[in-house]
């Protein structure tokens, strides 16, 4: 059974801190790793990673994939209160007609002023 | 831009009642999905559809049914509601298979369902 595990499950920091969120996966027919940010409503897409070692960056957020060690990290620098959210990672596996997404449990990030 | 629209946003059901969660998308996406998210857990796929008239089971289909008569609409029916179905339900859509390059999945805002 495909498995995605995130750590830590929750994190409390102060504005300006840098955080690293972890995501490990054991997935048959792995194709890509996706990160989402979920504030009180729908998850919104952040990154999709398909190649090892290539960093994706968007403002203060960046992410990298290690396909040999089967993990990904999401970094957020100079955190702001608006970064408070649940961060979900998901693996995309081929071999199905719909494209199978397996989600991790999520990391709850709380940023205090 | 409407995107993916779900109704209702909140609902309380009694054990044994039935209800339908509505989902519609205006992006002409072929693929549509229903996920549930329990507290502290990731999203689990209930049912999916790769086009009008075609549906199939995901990881946790028991207690649910779906239909896809049009490209836009993908309702989820709960038959004989049970407390174990208390969850947040997300409808989603994508142009092609989720996670494939360029096929971003778009989520609705969620429906909070409590079964008492």
């Amino acid at each position: 059974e495909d498995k995605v595990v995130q750590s830590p499950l929750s994190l409390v920091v102060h504005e300006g801190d840098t955080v690293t969120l972890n995501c490990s996966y054991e997935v048959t027919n792995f194709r890509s790793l996706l990160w989402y940010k979920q504030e009180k409503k729908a998850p919104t897409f952040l990154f999709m990673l398909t190649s090892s070692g290539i960093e994706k960056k968007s403002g203060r957020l960046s992410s990298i994939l290690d396909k040999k060690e089967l993990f990904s990290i999401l970094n957020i620098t100079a955190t702001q209160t608006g970064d408070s959210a649940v961060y979900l990672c998901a693996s995309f596996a081929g071999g199905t007609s719909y494209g199978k997404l397996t989600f991790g449990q999520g990391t709850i990030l709380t940023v205090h002023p | 831009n409407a995107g993916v629209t779900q109704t209702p946003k909140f609902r309380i059901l009694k054990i044994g009642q039935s209800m339908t969660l509505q989902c519609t998308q205006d992006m002409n996406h072929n693929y549509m999905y229903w996920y549930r998210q329990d507290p502290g857990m990731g999203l689990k796929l209930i049912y999916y559809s790769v086009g009008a008239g075609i549906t199939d089971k995901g990881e946790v289909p028991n207690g649910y049914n779906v239909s896809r008569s049009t490209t836009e609409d993908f309702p989820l029916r709960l038959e004989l509601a049970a407390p174990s179905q208390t969850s947040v339900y997300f409808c989603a859509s994508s142009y092609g298979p989720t996670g494939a390059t360029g096929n971003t999945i778009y989520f609705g805002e969620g429906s909070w369902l409590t079964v008492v």
Side-chain angles (χ1 to χ4, degrees), chain A residues 26-45:
Chain A
E26 292 174 33
V27 173
T28 303
N29 212 0
F30 174 84
R31 297 284 176 86
S32 60
L33 194 289
L34 300 96
W35 284 97
Y36 292 87
K37 178 181 182 183
Q38 184 179 23
E39 296 169 274
K40 292 182 181 173
K41 298 179 179 177
T44 53
F45 174 77

Side-chain angles (χ1 to χ4, degrees), chain A residues 6-60:
Chain A
Q6 293 185 243
S7 64
L9 294 181
S10 67
L11 194 51
V12 180
V13 300
H14 287 95
E15 272 193 321
D17 289 349
T18 293
V19 297
T20 298
L21 310 183
N22 303 295
C23 176
S24 65
Y25 62 91
E26 292 174 33
V27 173
T28 303
N29 212 0
F30 174 84
R31 297 284 176 86
S32 60
L33 194 289
L34 300 96
W35 284 97
Y36 292 87
K37 178 181 182 183
Q38 184 179 23
E39 296 169 274
K40 292 182 181 173
K41 298 179 179 177
T44 53
F45 174 77
L46 293 174
F47 298 111
M48 183 170 76
L49 303 150
T50 54
S51 301
S52 240
I54 298 176
E55 186 183 52
K56 291 266 178 115
K57 204 167 165 63
S58 175
R60 296 175 294 101

Side-chain angles (χ1 to χ4, degrees), chain A residues 38 88, chain B residues 35-39 41-44 87-90:
Chain A
Q38 184 179 23
L88 296 167
Chain B
Y35 287 91
R36 61 177 284 173
Q37 185 177 31
D38 298 327
M41 306 289 285
L43 282 74
K44 299 280 187 188
S87 190
V88 183
Y89 292 83
F90 288 98

Side-chain angles (χ1 to χ4, degrees), chain B residues 36-86:
Chain B
R36 61 177 284 173
Q37 185 177 31
D38 298 327
M41 306 289 285
L43 282 74
K44 299 280 187 188
L45 183 66
I46 306 171
Y47 270 93
Y48 68 95
S49 168
V50 300
I54 306 168
T55 63
D56 208 343
K57 296 177 182 177
E59 299 171 80
V60 289
N62 290 345
Y64 307 95
N65 273 304
V66 293
S67 59
R68 183 98 183 267
S69 56
T70 66
T71 299
E72 296 78 20
D73 300 308
F74 190 42
L76 176 73
R77 181 142 180 94
L78 280 72
E79 305 281 3
L80 298 174
S84 61
Q85 293 178 302
T86 294

Side-chain angles (χ1 to χ4, degrees), chain B residues 97-116:
Chain B
T98 58
T101 302
N103 290 324
T104 305
I105 185 171
Y106 296 85
F107 289 89
E109 294 196 338
S111 297
W112 273 252
L113 177 67
T114 302
V115 182
V116 296

